[in-house]
RNA sequence: GAGCCGGUAGCUCAGUCGGCAGAGCAACGGACUUUUAAUCCGUGGGUCGCGGGUUCGACUCCCGCCCGGCUCACCA
């Protein structure tokens, strides 16, 4: 252990390689320095960006030897020793800045301290004047430095970064240090979320928080996680959707509400599913689903323009054009186009439909409920081809227990789903606000559950009671944030847009 | 849960027919005061995912297990 201290009495303790033997206890506390100065590389770069143009700046630097004094801290990600001078790069999430250490600027003692105690991977603070190297790179000529934290592990390879997805997900910090694309994706995600909030806020929506632990897991078709509350002595469920609570708030007079947060579904994990995922759900009194189509186009336009800066993007090599209006297809028109069979076939000829499902090779077609059969056939024949963006509207009532009956057709509900790149990105409807009909729909769901549909929706009596007090005509929508970010970031796995995706705990190996 | 593919140095990857475990980067020592994937000289570094089996001999072949990826099933 080596101890250094500067004139202010701040203390740095560096540990040499030999001391980092496995199983040896290493005290980190004493090695944390306090660094006075601007802590973001952006702060240093601001010196440059305050000029009008780069050309202007270059000219100024060429003419004026009095460069600006800056203080910067960051992770030392590269180091090139020239004997009596050293070059390196400091990095943080915002970028990189070159540093230059000269023996005759730092003095022999400090220069040797740097050579001896500072390694790539360490967190370092430096002070000095900005200048341009002969190749034109903006660089800090270091007059003083401070070791702020030691990395006890070597950094990933500088050229290839970290490719092993298992390491990238389990130790995301390494991914963020080594891979700029990963940093960009999560900055993009953050911006997209904040722009969604900004848009909804600007339209008069109230952001609310409703229970994540719910006595009844309803509002969607999914298997919940179950937990037990010791004091209440009862099971609670992690929410599969906030929907029924948000509608209670509409009953309460909050006419525009939204909630942005996690839902939890106890189901498979794959490239488009994570057991906890982020949704934004919003509800507006006195709107119907047609209002939401226009609103969705406006919302997405805002998000696209304020994040990626264009309504036209490339996703997995194909163009996606979000310029409104999006195409609108009726649910049964799409099915009829594929099968030649009309709505009555799907809704009234269960045997014929089952036969069709068997012919299509849909698993367990013999035992699926009528509602599931329709859903599966649609998924198989239509969904993957909906590159979009496009709206599919007017779903069968059987599949939509919380949506209002269609004003022109009692077999249907006023509902749409937004499809992008073959994936469902949003789901919306005119909300069912008739408590009597809502009770019937829940009872229908319970019958579906008895017929073997594990994901049929649970009855929520308290919600029906709320409806009995009167909920204004309302439209509501949910948008899957993770999938939206996948599209914006042009990645094909949901794990690329979730900082810490669900992985099995590693043990044994 | 099923099928296919993968796991070798800190990182990225080779490893032929079963015959001494390899490279680049990183690390360590040395040279070098404008380098930037610095360069040059030198050195060290391995539970070949884990456990069995076959064999004179296994990173390599066989069996089981762990972890991951893709496809499928379930789902948004």
């Amino acid at each position: 252990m080596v101890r250094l201290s500067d004139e202010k009495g701040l203390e740095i303790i560096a540990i040499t390689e030999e001391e980092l033997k496995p199983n040896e206890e290493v005290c980190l506390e004493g090695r944390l320095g306090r660094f006075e100065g601007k802590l973001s590389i952006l702060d240093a770069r601001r010196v440059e960006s305050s000029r009008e143009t780069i050309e202007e700046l270059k000219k100024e630097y060429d003419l004026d030897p009095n460069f600006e004094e800056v203080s910067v801290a960051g992770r030392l990600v590269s180091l090139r020793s020239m004997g009596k001078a050293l070059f390196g790069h400091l990095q943080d999430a915002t970028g990189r800045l070159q540093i230059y250490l000269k023996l005759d600027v730092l003095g022999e003692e400090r220069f040797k301290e740097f050579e001896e105690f500072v390694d790539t991977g360490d967190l370092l603070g430096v002070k000095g004047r900005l200048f341009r190297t002969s190749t034109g790179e903006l660089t800090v000529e270091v007059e003083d430095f401070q070791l702020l934290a030691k990395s006890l592990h070597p950094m990933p390879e500088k050229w290839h970064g970290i490719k092993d997805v298992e390491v990238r997900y389990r130790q995301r910090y390494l991914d963020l240090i080594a891979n700029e694309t990963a940093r960009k994706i999560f900055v993009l995600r953050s911006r997209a979320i904040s722009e969604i909030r900004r848009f909804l806020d600007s339209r008069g929506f109230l952001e609310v928080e409703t229970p994540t632990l719910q006595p009844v897991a309803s509002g969607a078709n999914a298997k919940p996680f179950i937990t037990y509350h010791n004091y209440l002595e009862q099971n609670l469920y992690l929410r599969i959707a906030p929907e029924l609570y948000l509608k209670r708030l509409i009953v309460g007079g909050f006419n525009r509400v939204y909630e942005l947060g996690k839902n939890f579904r106890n189901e498979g994990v794959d490239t488009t599913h994570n057991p906890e995922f982020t949704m934004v759900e919003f509800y507006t009194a006195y709107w119907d689903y047609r209002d939401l189509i226009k609103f969705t186009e406006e919302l997405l336009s805002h998000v696209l323009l304020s994040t990626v800066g264009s309504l036209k993007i490339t996703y997995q090599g194909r163009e996606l054009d979000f310029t409104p209006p999006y195409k609108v297809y009726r649910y049964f028109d799409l099915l009829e186009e594929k099968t030649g069979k009309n709505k009555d076939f799907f809704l009234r000829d269960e045997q014929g439909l089952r036969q069709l499902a068997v012919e299509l090779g849909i698993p367990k077609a013999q035992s699926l409920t009528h509602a599931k059969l329709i859903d599966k056939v649609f998924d198989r024949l239509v969904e993957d081809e909906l590159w979009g963006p496009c709206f599919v509207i007017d779903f069968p009532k059987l599949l939509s227990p919380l949506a209002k009956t269609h004003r022109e057709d009692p077999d249907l509900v006023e509902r749409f789903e937004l499809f992008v790149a073959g994936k469902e990105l949003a789901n919306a409807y005119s909300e069912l606000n008739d408590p009597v009909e809502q009770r019937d729909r829940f009872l229908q769901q319970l019958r579906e559950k008895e017929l073997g549909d594990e994901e049929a929706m649970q009855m929520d009596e308290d919600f029906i009671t709320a409806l009995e007090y009167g909920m204004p005509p309302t439209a509501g929508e949910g948008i899957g944030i993770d999938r939206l970010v996948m599209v914006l970031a042009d990645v094909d796995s949901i794990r690329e847009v979730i900082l810490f995706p669900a992985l099995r705990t590693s043990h044994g190996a």
Side-chain angles (χ1 to χ4, degrees):
Chain A
M1 199 91 89
V2 179
R3 196 166 280 240
L4 312 170
S5 63
D6 65 13
E7 66 281 2
K8 289 178 202 148
L10 297 179
E11 198 168 66
I12 304 165
I13 298 172
I15 293 180
T16 56
E17 193 87 4
E18 290 73 32
E19 291 170 317
L20 299 177
K21 299 267 163 54
N23 303 323
E24 189 172 331
E25 261 190 57
V26 174
C27 175
L28 284 168
E29 274 181 306
R31 295 187 291 107
L32 298 175
R34 201 163 66 90
F35 183 66
E36 303 287 346
K38 294 174 179 174
L39 291 181
S40 167
I41 282 170
L42 272 187
D43 291 327
R45 289 215 184 270
R46 197 162 292 147
V47 172
E48 177 179 40
S49 60
S50 66
R51 305 303 191 277
E52 292 299 319
T53 66
I54 287 175
E55 285 300 308
E56 208 174 298
L57 187 76
K58 274 186 181 171
K59 227 177 263 178
E60 189 175 332
Y61 275 120
D62 286 341
L63 296 174
D64 181 4
N66 292 317
F67 304 126
E68 310 220 9
E69 186 89 19
V70 293
S71 295
V72 193
R75 190 179 296 275
L76 185 66
V77 291
S78 67
L79 195 56
R80 297 173 289 284
S81 168
M82 307 289 299
K84 297 194 175 69
L86 294 158
F87 283 94
H89 277 99
L90 288 185
Q91 174 184 290
D92 67 15
T94 66
R96 280 184 181 202
L97 184 65
Q98 185 165 255
I99 60 171
Y100 178 46
L101 293 92
K102 255 164 100 172
L103 176 69
D104 47 21
V105 171
L106 266 176
E108 193 165 338
E109 193 184 340
R110 293 289 279 155
F111 191 81
K112 276 188 178 165
E113 280 170 9
F114 189 96
E115 282 189 310
E116 181 131 17
F117 303 120
V118 180
D119 300 298
T120 54
D122 294 351
L123 288 154
L124 185 73
V126 301
K127 290 178 187 178
R129 288 178 183 284
L130 279 174
F131 75 107
R132 273 185 194 287
T133 63
S134 54
T135 54
E137 180 164 353
L138 193 63
T139 302
V140 183
E141 186 182 77
V142 177
E143 290 155 11
D144 194 16
F145 67 88
Q146 190 168 10
L147 181 61
L148 302 173
K150 195 86 192 137
S151 172
L152 306 186
H153 298 278
M155 286 294 105
E157 209 259 352
K158 61 185 170 188
W159 193 241
H160 299 93
I162 290 191
K163 289 188 175 171
D164 183 339
V165 290
E166 197 171 344
V167 175
R168 290 184 47 234
Y169 300 155
R170 289 192 197 280
Q171 295 178 274
R172 182 67 87 178
Y173 48 91
L174 290 179
D175 190 29
L176 294 172
I177 290 168
N179 300 323
E180 191 187 3
T181 52
R183 292 196 289 273
K184 281 185 172 165
I185 287 170
F186 292 105
V187 170
L188 174 65
R189 181 186 173 112
S190 175
R191 284 203 189 123
I193 287 172
S194 98
E195 291 300 337
I196 289 167
R197 281 205 165 93
R198 187 194 308 274
F199 184 86
L200 291 170
D201 292 344
S202 74
R203 300 299 183 99
F205 284 80
L206 186 72
E207 181 169 8
V208 297
E209 294 170 278
T210 65
T212 307
L213 291 171
Q214 302 178 346
V216 176
S218 193
N221 301 103
K223 281 176 256 178
F225 289 92
I226 307 172
T227 187
Y228 182 77
H229 192 291
N230 293 338
Y231 181 79
L232 297 178
E233 297 181 315
Q234 68 173 74
N235 279 337
L236 290 172
Y237 302 88
L238 271 62
R239 72 170 172 209
I240 56 176
E243 173 156 355
L244 302 187
Y245 282 93
L246 292 171
K247 285 195 235 181
R248 283 169 169 91
L249 299 178
I250 297 285
V251 171
F254 286 149
N255 283 346
R256 293 190 179 193
V257 292
Y258 75 97
E259 179 160 14
L260 201 161
K262 291 275 181 73
N263 290 341
F264 305 86
R265 299 189 184 176
N266 205 342
E267 284 155 359
V269 175
D270 63 28
T271 50
T272 52
H273 298 84
N274 196 63
E276 53 179 301
F277 64 102
T278 304
M279 289 253 300
V280 59
E281 283 200 19
F282 48 92
Y283 291 81
T284 314
Y286 310 114
W287 282 13
D288 66 18
Y289 76 137
R290 292 178 302 194
D291 298 309
L292 281 181
I293 284 183
K294 186 161 173 290
F295 187 76
T296 302
E297 290 170 343
E298 290 172 4
L299 171 61
L300 290 181
S301 294
H302 174 78
V303 172
L304 268 282
L305 289 173
S306 59
T307 54
V308 296
S310 170
L311 293 178
K312 289 185 186 176
I313 60 175
T314 300
Y315 184 70
Q316 305 294 293
R318 281 180 70 181
E319 187 186 75
L320 272 172
D321 187 353
F322 284 85
T323 308
Y326 309 160
K327 287 197 174 112
V328 177
Y329 303 105
R330 285 199 192 81
Y331 188 90
F332 281 110
D333 287 352
L334 289 171
L335 275 177
E336 188 163 353
E337 192 182 306
K338 285 289 170 188
T339 63
K341 311 279 191 187
N342 64 15
K343 186 188 81 178
D344 282 337
F345 167 79
F346 286 97
L347 294 182
R348 324 239 185 269
D349 185 357
E350 188 175 335
Q351 283 317 307
L353 175 59
R354 193 174 300 282
Q355 184 56 39
L356 174 63
V358 170
E359 285 165 14
L360 287 170
I362 287 169
K364 291 181 272 180
Q366 295 292 1
S367 59
L368 290 175
T369 63
H370 189 185
K372 279 276 182 190
L373 280 173
I374 300 171
D375 200 24
K376 292 291 164 200
V377 170
F378 183 88
D379 282 358
R380 173 62 60 90
L381 292 179
V382 181
E383 197 166 299
D384 290 347
E385 294 180 22
L386 295 173
W387 185 255
C390 65
F391 295 107
V392 176
I393 66 167
D394 299 346
F395 279 61
K397 188 186 285 186
L398 272 128
L399 294 178
S400 317
L402 302 170
K404 192 174 220 169
T405 301
H406 199 282
R407 66 198 74 184
E408 289 163 4
D409 185 339
D411 290 334
L412 307 179
V413 289
E414 297 193 352
R415 171 181 176 187
F416 70 77
E417 287 189 352
L418 171 66
F419 285 90
V420 177
K423 299 180 185 72
E424 183 194 335
L425 218 67
N427 181 21
Y429 28 88
S430 304
E431 303 296 339
L432 176 56
N433 64 339
D434 176 339
V436 176
E437 186 176 355
Q438 183 65 78
R439 184 186 300 280
D440 288 344
R441 300 271 198 98
F442 275 135
L443 290 172
Q444 176 62 34
Q445 286 293 303
L446 294 182
R447 284 194 288 277
E448 297 278 324
K449 200 179 267 289
E450 279 167 21
L451 289 171
D453 180 357
E454 285 184 273
E455 278 126 21
M457 211 172 280
Q458 288 188 44
M459 169 74 80
D460 186 339
E461 288 286 354
D462 290 340
F463 171 64
I464 292 172
T465 301
L467 289 186
E468 285 169 0
Y469 283 89
M471 183 174 85
T474 297
E477 175 166 349
I479 298 177
I481 301 287
D482 310 284
R483 290 182 178 183
L484 175 60
V485 176
M486 285 171 68
V487 169
L488 296 175
D490 190 15
V491 294
D492 61 2
S493 170
I494 199 168
R495 300 179 195 99
E496 295 296 328
V497 301
I498 293 175
L499 281 166
F500 300 99
L503 295 181
R504 201 182 301 272
T505 306
S506 181
H507 47 68

Coordinates of all heavy atoms in Angstrom, one line a residue, chain A residues 71-118:
Chain A
S71 N -10.9 21.3 -15.5 CA -10.8 20.2 -14.5 C -11.8 19.1 -15.0 O -12.9 19.4 -15.3 CB -11.2 20.6 -13.1 OG -10.3 21.5 -12.6
V72 N -11.3 17.9 -15.2 CA -12.1 16.8 -15.7 C -11.8 15.6 -14.9 O -10.7 15.3 -14.5 CB -11.7 16.6 -17.2 CG1 -12.8 15.7 -17.8 CG2 -11.6 17.8 -18.0
A73 N -12.8 14.8 -14.8 CA -12.7 13.5 -14.2 C -13.3 12.4 -15.0 O -14.3 12.7 -15.7 CB -13.3 13.4 -12.8
G74 N -12.7 11.2 -15.0 CA -13.3 10.2 -15.8 C -12.5 8.9 -15.7 O -11.5 8.9 -14.9
R75 N -13.0 7.9 -16.4 CA -12.2 6.6 -16.3 C -11.1 6.6 -17.3 O -11.3 7.0 -18.5 CB -13.1 5.4 -16.6 CG -12.5 4.1 -16.3 CD -13.4 2.9 -16.5 NE -14.5 2.9 -15.6 CZ -14.5 2.4 -14.4 NH1 -13.4 1.8 -13.9 NH2 -15.6 2.4 -13.6
L76 N -9.9 6.3 -16.9 CA -8.8 6.3 -17.8 C -8.9 5.0 -18.7 O -8.7 3.9 -18.2 CB -7.5 6.2 -17.0 CG -6.2 6.3 -17.8 CD1 -6.1 7.7 -18.5 CD2 -5.0 6.1 -16.9
V77 N -9.2 5.1 -19.9 CA -9.5 4.0 -20.8 C -8.3 3.6 -21.7 O -8.3 2.6 -22.3 CB -10.8 4.1 -21.6 CG1 -12.0 4.1 -20.7 CG2 -10.7 5.4 -22.4
S78 N -7.4 4.5 -21.8 CA -6.2 4.1 -22.6 C -5.0 4.9 -22.1 O -5.1 6.0 -21.5 CB -6.4 4.4 -24.1 OG -6.5 5.8 -24.3
L79 N -3.8 4.4 -22.3 CA -2.6 5.0 -21.8 C -1.4 4.6 -22.8 O -1.2 3.5 -23.1 CB -2.3 4.5 -20.4 CG -1.3 5.2 -19.6 CD1 -1.7 6.7 -19.4 CD2 -1.2 4.6 -18.2
R80 N -0.8 5.7 -23.3 CA 0.4 5.4 -24.2 C 1.6 6.1 -23.6 O 1.6 7.4 -23.5 CB 0.0 6.0 -25.6 CG -1.1 5.3 -26.2 CD -1.5 5.9 -27.5 NE -2.2 7.2 -27.3 CZ -3.4 7.4 -26.9 NH1 -4.2 6.4 -26.7 NH2 -3.9 8.6 -26.8
S81 N 2.6 5.4 -23.2 CA 3.8 6.0 -22.6 C 4.8 6.3 -23.7 O 5.1 5.5 -24.5 CB 4.3 5.0 -21.6 OG 5.6 5.5 -21.2
M82 N 5.3 7.5 -23.6 CA 6.4 7.9 -24.6 C 7.7 8.2 -23.8 O 8.6 8.9 -24.3 CB 6.0 9.3 -25.3 CG 4.7 9.3 -25.9 SD 4.6 8.3 -27.4 CE 5.9 9.1 -28.3
G83 N 7.8 7.6 -22.7 CA 9.0 7.8 -21.9 C 8.9 9.0 -21.0 O 8.5 8.8 -19.8
K84 N 9.2 10.2 -21.4 CA 9.1 11.4 -20.6 C 7.7 12.1 -20.8 O 7.6 13.2 -20.4 CB 10.3 12.3 -20.8 CG 11.6 11.7 -20.4 CD 12.7 12.7 -20.4 CE 14.0 12.1 -19.9 NZ 14.7 11.2 -20.8
A85 N 6.8 11.5 -21.5 CA 5.5 12.0 -21.7 C 4.5 10.8 -21.9 O 4.9 9.7 -22.3 CB 5.4 12.9 -23.0
L86 N 3.2 11.1 -21.5 CA 2.2 10.1 -21.6 C 1.0 10.6 -22.2 O 0.6 11.8 -22.0 CB 1.8 9.6 -20.2 CG 2.8 8.9 -19.3 CD1 2.5 9.0 -17.8 CD2 2.9 7.4 -19.7
F87 N 0.3 9.8 -23.0 CA -1.0 10.2 -23.6 C -2.0 9.2 -23.1 O -1.7 8.0 -22.9 CB -1.0 10.1 -25.1 CG -0.4 11.3 -25.8 CD1 0.9 11.3 -26.1 CD2 -1.1 12.5 -26.0 CE1 1.5 12.4 -26.7 CE2 -0.5 13.6 -26.6 CZ 0.8 13.5 -27.0
G88 N -3.2 9.6 -22.8 CA -4.3 8.7 -22.4 C -5.6 9.3 -22.8 O -5.7 10.5 -23.2
H89 N -6.7 8.6 -22.6 CA -8.0 9.1 -22.7 C -8.9 8.9 -21.5 O -8.9 7.8 -20.9 CB -8.8 8.4 -23.9 CG -8.4 9.0 -25.2 ND1 -7.5 8.5 -26.1 CD2 -8.9 10.2 -25.9 CE1 -7.4 9.2 -27.2 NE2 -8.2 10.2 -27.1
L90 N -9.5 10.0 -21.1 CA -10.5 9.9 -20.0 C -11.9 9.7 -20.6 O -12.2 10.3 -21.7 CB -10.6 11.1 -19.2 CG -9.4 11.4 -18.2 CD1 -9.6 12.6 -17.4 CD2 -9.1 10.2 -17.3
Q91 N -12.7 8.8 -20.1 CA -14.0 8.6 -20.6 C -15.1 8.6 -19.6 O -14.9 8.2 -18.4 CB -14.0 7.2 -21.3 CG -15.4 6.7 -21.8 CD -15.4 5.3 -22.3 OE1 -14.8 5.0 -23.3 NE2 -16.0 4.4 -21.6
D92 N -16.2 9.2 -19.9 CA -17.5 8.9 -19.1 C -18.6 8.7 -20.1 O -18.3 8.5 -21.3 CB -17.8 10.1 -18.2 CG -18.1 11.4 -18.9 OD1 -18.4 11.4 -20.1 OD2 -18.1 12.4 -18.2
A93 N -19.8 8.6 -19.7 CA -20.9 8.2 -20.6 C -21.1 9.2 -21.7 O -21.7 8.9 -22.7 CB -22.2 8.0 -19.8
T94 N -20.6 10.4 -21.5 CA -20.8 11.5 -22.5 C -19.8 11.5 -23.6 O -20.0 12.1 -24.6 CB -20.9 12.9 -21.9 OG1 -19.7 13.2 -21.3 CG2 -22.0 12.9 -20.8
G95 N -18.6 10.9 -23.3 CA -17.6 11.0 -24.4 C -16.2 10.8 -23.8 O -16.0 10.3 -22.7
R96 N -15.2 11.1 -24.7 CA -13.8 10.9 -24.3 C -13.0 12.2 -24.5 O -13.3 13.0 -25.4 CB -13.2 9.9 -25.3 CG -13.5 8.5 -25.0 CD -12.8 7.6 -25.9 NE -13.1 6.2 -25.5 CZ -12.4 5.2 -25.8 NH1 -11.3 5.3 -26.5 NH2 -12.8 4.0 -25.4
L97 N -12.0 12.4 -23.7 CA -11.1 13.5 -23.8 C -9.7 13.0 -23.6 O -9.4 12.3 -22.7 CB -11.5 14.6 -22.8 CG -10.7 15.9 -22.9 CD1 -11.0 16.6 -24.2 CD2 -11.0 16.8 -21.7
Q98 N -8.8 13.5 -24.5 CA -7.4 13.1 -24.4 C -6.7 13.9 -23.3 O -6.9 15.1 -23.2 CB -6.7 13.2 -25.8 CG -5.3 12.7 -25.7 CD -4.6 12.5 -27.1 OE1 -4.5 11.3 -27.5 NE2 -4.2 13.5 -27.7
I99 N -5.8 13.2 -22.6 CA -5.0 13.9 -21.6 C -3.5 13.7 -22.0 O -3.2 12.6 -22.6 CB -5.2 13.4 -20.2 CG1 -5.0 11.9 -20.0 CG2 -6.7 13.8 -19.8 CD1 -5.0 11.5 -18.6
Y100 N -2.7 14.6 -21.7 CA -1.3 14.6 -22.0 C -0.5 14.9 -20.8 O -0.7 16.0 -20.2 CB -1.0 15.6 -23.1 CG 0.4 15.7 -23.6 CD1 1.2 14.6 -23.9 CD2 1.0 17.0 -23.8 CE1 2.5 14.7 -24.3 CE2 2.3 17.1 -24.3 CZ 3.0 16.0 -24.5 OH 4.3 16.1 -25.0
L101 N 0.4 14.1 -20.4 CA 1.2 14.3 -19.2 C 2.7 14.5 -19.6 O 3.2 13.6 -20.3 CB 1.1 13.2 -18.2 CG -0.3 13.0 -17.5 CD1 -1.1 12.1 -18.3 CD2 -0.1 12.6 -16.1
K102 N 3.3 15.6 -19.2 CA 4.7 15.8 -19.6 C 5.5 15.9 -18.3 O 5.1 16.6 -17.4 CB 4.8 17.2 -20.3 CG 5.0 17.1 -21.8 CD 4.7 18.4 -22.5 CE 5.9 19.2 -22.8 NZ 5.6 20.4 -23.6
L103 N 6.7 15.3 -18.4 CA 7.6 15.3 -17.3 C 7.9 16.7 -16.8 O 7.8 17.0 -15.6 CB 8.9 14.6 -17.7 CG 10.0 14.6 -16.6 CD1 9.6 13.7 -15.4 CD2 11.3 14.1 -17.2
D104 N 8.2 17.6 -17.8 CA 8.7 19.0 -17.3 C 7.5 19.9 -17.0 O 7.7 21.0 -16.5 CB 9.6 19.6 -18.4 CG 9.0 19.5 -19.8 OD1 7.8 19.3 -19.9 OD2 9.8 19.6 -20.8
V105 N 6.3 19.4 -17.2 CA 5.1 20.2 -16.7 C 4.7 19.7 -15.3 O 4.5 20.5 -14.4 CB 3.9 20.1 -17.6 CG1 2.7 20.7 -17.0 CG2 4.2 20.8 -19.0
L106 N 4.7 18.4 -15.2 CA 4.2 17.8 -13.9 C 5.3 17.8 -12.8 O 5.1 17.9 -11.6 CB 3.8 16.4 -14.1 CG 2.3 16.1 -14.4 CD1 2.2 14.6 -14.7 CD2 1.5 16.5 -13.2
G107 N 6.6 17.8 -13.3 CA 7.7 17.6 -12.3 C 8.0 16.1 -12.2 O 7.1 15.3 -12.3
E108 N 9.2 15.9 -11.8 CA 9.7 14.5 -11.8 C 8.9 13.6 -10.8 O 8.5 12.5 -11.1 CB 11.2 14.4 -11.6 CG 11.8 13.1 -11.8 CD 13.3 13.1 -11.9 OE1 13.9 14.2 -12.1 OE2 13.9 12.0 -11.7
E109 N 8.7 14.2 -9.6 CA 8.1 13.4 -8.6 C 6.6 13.0 -9.0 O 6.3 11.8 -8.9 CB 8.1 14.2 -7.3 CG 7.7 13.3 -6.1 CD 7.6 14.2 -4.8 OE1 8.2 15.3 -4.8 OE2 7.0 13.7 -3.9
R110 N 5.8 13.9 -9.4 CA 4.4 13.6 -9.7 C 4.4 12.7 -11.0 O 3.5 11.9 -11.0 CB 3.7 15.0 -10.0 CG 3.5 15.8 -8.8 CD 2.5 15.2 -7.8 NE 1.1 15.5 -8.1 CZ 0.1 14.7 -7.7 NH1 0.4 13.6 -7.0 NH2 -1.1 15.0 -8.1
F111 N 5.2 13.0 -11.9 CA 5.2 12.2 -13.1 C 5.5 10.7 -12.8 O 4.8 9.8 -13.3 CB 6.3 12.7 -14.1 CG 6.2 12.1 -15.5 CD1 5.3 12.6 -16.4 CD2 7.0 11.0 -15.8 CE1 5.2 12.0 -17.6 CE2 6.9 10.5 -17.1 CZ 6.0 10.9 -18.0
K112 N 6.5 10.5 -11.9 CA 6.8 9.1 -11.5 C 5.6 8.5 -10.7 O 5.4 7.3 -10.8 CB 8.1 9.1 -10.6 CG 9.3 9.1 -11.5 CD 10.5 8.9 -10.6 CE 11.8 8.8 -11.5 NZ 13.0 8.9 -10.7
E113 N 5.0 9.3 -9.9 CA 3.8 8.8 -9.1 C 2.7 8.3 -10.1 O 2.1 7.2 -9.9 CB 3.2 9.9 -8.3 CG 4.0 10.2 -7.0 CD 3.5 11.4 -6.2 OE1 2.5 12.0 -6.7 OE2 4.2 11.8 -5.3
F114 N 2.5 9.1 -11.1 CA 1.5 8.7 -12.1 C 1.9 7.3 -12.8 O 1.1 6.4 -12.8 CB 1.4 9.8 -13.2 CG 0.2 9.5 -14.1 CD1 -1.0 10.1 -13.9 CD2 0.3 8.7 -15.2 CE1 -2.1 9.9 -14.7 CE2 -0.7 8.4 -16.1 CZ -1.9 9.0 -15.8
E115 N 3.2 7.3 -13.2 CA 3.6 6.1 -13.9 C 3.5 4.9 -13.0 O 3.1 3.8 -13.4 CB 5.1 6.2 -14.3 CG 5.3 7.0 -15.5 CD 6.7 7.0 -16.0 OE1 7.6 7.2 -15.2 OE2 6.9 6.7 -17.2
E116 N 3.7 5.1 -11.7 CA 3.8 4.0 -10.8 C 2.4 3.5 -10.3 O 2.1 2.4 -10.2 CB 4.6 4.4 -9.5 CG 4.7 3.2 -8.5 CD 6.1 3.0 -8.1 OE1 7.0 3.9 -8.3 OE2 6.4 1.9 -7.5
F117 N 1.5 4.5 -10.1 CA 0.2 4.2 -9.4 C -1.0 4.2 -10.2 O -2.1 3.8 -9.8 CB 0.1 5.1 -8.2 CG 1.2 5.0 -7.2 CD1 1.9 6.1 -6.9 CD2 1.6 3.8 -6.6 CE1 3.0 6.1 -6.0 CE2 2.6 3.7 -5.8 CZ 3.3 4.9 -5.4
V118 N -0.9 4.8 -11.4 CA -2.2 5.0 -12.2 C -2.1 4.0 -13.4 O -1.2 3.9 -14.1 CB -2.3 6.4 -12.7 CG1 -3.6 6.6 -13.6 CG2 -2.3 7.4 -11.6

